[in-house]
Amino acid sequence: MMQRVVVIEDEKDIVDLLSYTLRREGFDVRSAGRGQEGLELLQRGPAALALIDIMLPDLDGLEVCRRLREDKSLRNLPIIFLTAKGEEVDRILGLEIGADDYVVKPFSPRELIARIKAVLRRREREDEGPPVIETRDLRMDTRTQEVIVRGQPIELSTLEFKLLHFLASHPRRIFARENLLDEVWGRDRFVTPRTVDVHIRRLREKIEIQPEKPRYLQTVRGSGYRFTPLPLEESELEA
Ligand code: CA
């Protein structure tokens, strides 16, 4: 799957150089010359990373970044800033802004690619979640793709496994179906939110004692789904 990099930069020569370099490395590139346009581009489709120039004609790059961090679906997007010499690098990397890295113009395309790949690798490791998840009567191991429910191994499709693992890696967090499609199915998908419901139903039949009264995979009405871990020992109160 081609990863998309969104470039927000108003200098056409730099956009051309970046587009050429990134495409040669196998990235899908989209660009915007203004901050607002860049924000809209990012909101429309999932990107793997954004390269943002600090000096833009409308919103500056720092403001673009701040707005991205306020957007629930873009809060974790990796960001690399393009800066001119002498710009406030401390602020860029400060917690306040939360960029992942920056490069100073003029930069070498090779160095920029190396930085991009490093940021993407780091993010991938963070997204993987723990290799083994264990809760009451359910255990899943990403290294072997094995799932044990009440002592018995069960068969899950790759997508069912990914969906369950994603939800279980973020216990108690509520995900809308659209978010799950982006996170689990990815952007090259030809599926509708209904697909999520179908997979959740199948998972419940495989892991829940009473699929119609799920303990793990819960529906949050009007919002989406969440995974609720159970304590390892069954408490008396719950019985
Ligand atoms: Ca500029």
Side-chain angles (χ1 to χ4, degrees):
M1 199 203 308
M2 265 165 98
Q3 289 182 300
R4 177 181 297 176
V5 174
V6 168
V7 178
I8 308 177
E9 161 69 83
D10 58 319
E11 283 164 74
K12 196 176 172 301
D13 291 350
I14 297 183
V15 174
D16 289 347
L17 172 68
L18 287 171
S19 301
Y20 172 79
T21 310
L22 287 161
R23 288 199 175 110
R24 207 181 44 188
E25 288 291 323
F27 291 102
D28 168 35
V29 185
R30 300 293 156 92
S31 66
R34 288 172 173 268
Q36 187 57 41
E37 188 192 344
L39 274 172
E40 284 161 17
L41 191 56
L42 286 164
Q43 278 153 355
R44 271 204 305 275
L49 183 137
L51 284 176
I52 307 178
D53 181 33
I54 304 248
M55 294 290 282
L56 292 166
D58 53 344
L59 310 170
D60 73 22
L62 303 181
E63 182 56 29
V64 172
C65 186
R66 207 170 284 122
R67 293 194 191 180
L68 287 173
R69 295 310 185 216
E70 281 167 8
D71 184 320
K72 224 166 58 193
S73 60
L74 293 167
R75 185 174 293 159
N76 295 316
L77 178 77
I79 292 172
I80 298 180
F81 275 119
L82 308 173
T83 78
K85 262 203 184 73
E87 272 170 339
E88 301 166 77
V89 168
D90 293 347
R91 264 180 76 206
I92 297 170
L93 291 180
L95 287 173
E96 181 203 354
I97 306 286
D100 293 80
D101 205 350
Y102 70 96
V103 289
V104 178
K105 297 180 197 174
F107 49 83
S108 97
R110 224 163 108 202
E111 190 199 338
L112 178 67
I113 293 292
R115 299 282 189 93
I116 289 174
K117 287 185 174 169
V119 167
L120 290 177
R121 266 198 308 274
R122 192 161 72 218
R123 195 49 65 96
E124 218 165 84
R125 279 197 302 274
E126 287 165 6
D127 287 348
E128 272 170 9
V132 174
I133 293 175
E134 200 164 13
T135 167
R136 183 85 48 89
D137 53 10
L138 171 73
R139 183 179 198 277
M140 55 192 314
D141 191 329
T142 44
R143 295 162 302 190
T144 55
Q145 290 231 353
E146 250 179 347
V147 182
I148 309 283
V149 176
R150 291 177 284 286
Q152 298 293 318
I154 58 161
E155 295 263 332
L156 295 185
S157 71
T158 304
L159 267 172
E160 287 166 353
F161 186 91
K162 266 181 88 175
L163 177 60
L164 179 61
H165 185 260
F166 177 77
L167 286 167
S169 304
H170 303 88
R172 284 176 285 272
R173 241 174 82 181
I174 301 166
F175 291 96
R177 295 184 183 104
E178 273 298 331
N179 298 138
L180 292 171
L181 286 175
D182 288 343
E183 296 287 349
V184 177
W185 275 260
R187 63 184 190 84
D188 288 336
R189 57 181 158 92
F190 300 95
V191 287
T192 66
R194 185 80 193 95
T195 311
V196 177
D197 302 337
V198 172
H199 279 76
I200 292 277
R201 198 175 64 227
R202 284 197 208 130
L203 276 172
R204 282 175 177 159
E205 279 160 14
K206 291 177 181 181
I207 70 167
E208 303 282 1
I209 295 174
Q210 292 176 283
E212 67 285 1
K213 277 165 100 185
R215 300 172 308 161
Y216 290 122
L217 290 171
Q218 296 174 334
T219 303
V220 182
R221 206 168 291 280
S223 302
Y225 294 106
R226 74 169 163 223
F227 181 92
T228 306
L230 297 173
L232 289 177
E233 295 297 324
E234 193 131 9
S235 80
E236 288 155 31
L237 285 172
E238 225 182 299

